[in-house]
Amino acid sequence: MDFTILILVIVSILLGALVRSIFGFGEALVTMPLLSLFSIDFKLSVSIVAIVGLLVAFPVFIKSRRNLNWSIVRRLLVGSIIGAPVGILIVKWANEDVIIKVLGIFILLYGTINLINHYRNIYQINKQIPKLYDYIAGLVSGILGSAYNSHGVPIIVYGTLKKWHVTDLKNISQVHFFITGCFIVFSHGVSGFWSSSLWYLLIMILPLLIITLWVGHIINTKINQQVLIKYIYFLLICFGIVMIIK
């Protein structure tokens, strides 16, 4: 790999890690499109983003696991475990571009409608969403996670639909991301996604990743947690656009 390309790849991965540490999701939707610009092997991209995401989620998992509604997390995890193998099959056999664009359109519309609703209150969901849908959200998360490392977006979308408090949203999503991430990384390994290039990149990234997480933590503490949901909707809009034009 050319040295300039290598530097750009590392910066792209660290940028995704920074977004994840600030907002709690989104590293794949930042990093994956950037890596595609450098003609990086798709399996290498998926694997490196999954492992880095796991490392980013670990400290949050340790901190959040005590004050958590584990019944919700368990239902999400059951769905994710079922969905992860389906995602692997999608990588091997399905038309990636079509799936990504359809998902991008949905995320763009969802983010736009809810950002407008944040200011104008054009709609309100008063009916409680049944617990059964926790499994469905987890299923979609598992599929998108193992296929595209996008397991965060379905949980964030679902959590905002259920009106979880922003603290609960971050805690539930991060613990789910970490546990699901362990399974997804394992799935990538047994599916033959790993290579010597993956370990070479990880060795170079790890020292810089520590600095990135420290910067992300500082930025996160400066953001008013009550208005964080507004930034999450805006980020979803940006990600939807990226996925459509990718």
Side-chain angles (χ1 to χ4, degrees), residues 163-175:
K163 304 294 184 184
W164 289 341
H165 186 275
V166 65
T167 301
D168 294 329
L169 177 64
K170 291 175 66 177
N171 289 344
I172 291 172
S173 62
Q174 288 303 300
V175 171

Side-chain angles (χ1 to χ4, degrees), residues 99-144:
I99 295 173
I100 288 293
K101 283 180 170 51
V102 170
L103 181 60
I105 291 171
F106 170 76
I107 293 172
L108 173 61
L109 291 175
Y110 180 84
T112 301
I113 291 172
N114 282 279
L115 186 62
I116 294 172
N117 190 64
H118 183 80
Y119 292 102
R120 293 287 187 177
N121 196 26
I122 57 177
Y123 78 91
Q124 190 170 1
I125 298 178
N126 295 316
K127 188 176 181 180
Q128 186 175 9
I129 298 176
K131 294 179 181 179
L132 173 65
Y133 285 85
D134 294 355
Y135 295 103
I136 298 174
L139 178 71
V140 176
S141 174
I143 293 172
L144 295 178

Side-chain angles (χ1 to χ4, degrees), residues 27-206:
E27 77 282 4
L29 295 175
V30 171
T31 305
M32 293 293 285
L34 291 175
L35 293 182
S36 68
L37 296 176
F38 311 131
S39 301
I40 303 300
D41 178 72
F42 183 71
K43 292 180 180 179
L44 172 61
S45 298
V46 169
S47 299
I48 189 69
V49 172
I51 293 175
V52 170
L54 196 64
L55 295 174
V56 173
F58 179 70
V60 183
F61 167 75
I62 295 299
K63 181 180 178 181
S64 303
R65 74 188 195 282
R66 299 184 184 277
N67 303 313
L68 195 66
N69 187 333
W70 277 98
S71 62
I72 295 176
V73 175
R74 282 193 290 270
R75 289 191 291 271
L76 293 173
L77 287 173
V78 169
S80 295
I81 290 171
I82 296 171
V86 179
I88 296 294
L89 293 176
I90 288 176
V91 172
K92 291 179 177 290
W93 305 110
N95 188 320
E96 174 196 346
D97 290 337
V98 173
I99 295 173
I100 288 293
K101 283 180 170 51
V102 170
L103 181 60
I105 291 171
F106 170 76
I107 293 172
L108 173 61
L109 291 175
Y110 180 84
T112 301
I113 291 172
N114 282 279
L115 186 62
I116 294 172
N117 190 64
H118 183 80
Y119 292 102
R120 293 287 187 177
N121 196 26
I122 57 177
Y123 78 91
Q124 190 170 1
I125 298 178
N126 295 316
K127 188 176 181 180
Q128 186 175 9
I129 298 176
K131 294 179 181 179
L132 173 65
Y133 285 85
D134 294 355
Y135 295 103
I136 298 174
L139 178 71
V140 176
S141 174
I143 293 172
L144 295 178
S146 59
Y148 310 114
N149 281 318
S150 299
H151 52 299
V153 172
I155 303 303
I156 293 296
V157 169
Y158 182 66
T160 57
L161 277 173
K162 293 201 74 170
K163 304 294 184 184
W164 289 341
H165 186 275
V166 65
T167 301
D168 294 329
L169 177 64
K170 291 175 66 177
N171 289 344
I172 291 172
S173 62
Q174 288 303 300
V175 171
H176 171 267
F177 296 166
F178 177 76
I179 300 175
T180 305
C182 290
F183 186 79
I184 290 171
V185 167
F186 174 77
S187 299
H188 289 164
V190 299
S191 300
F193 283 22
W194 294 352
S195 65
S196 57
S197 298
L198 171 67
W199 307 119
Y200 176 70
L201 269 175
L202 275 176
I203 291 171
M204 298 189 66
I205 287 169
L206 282 176

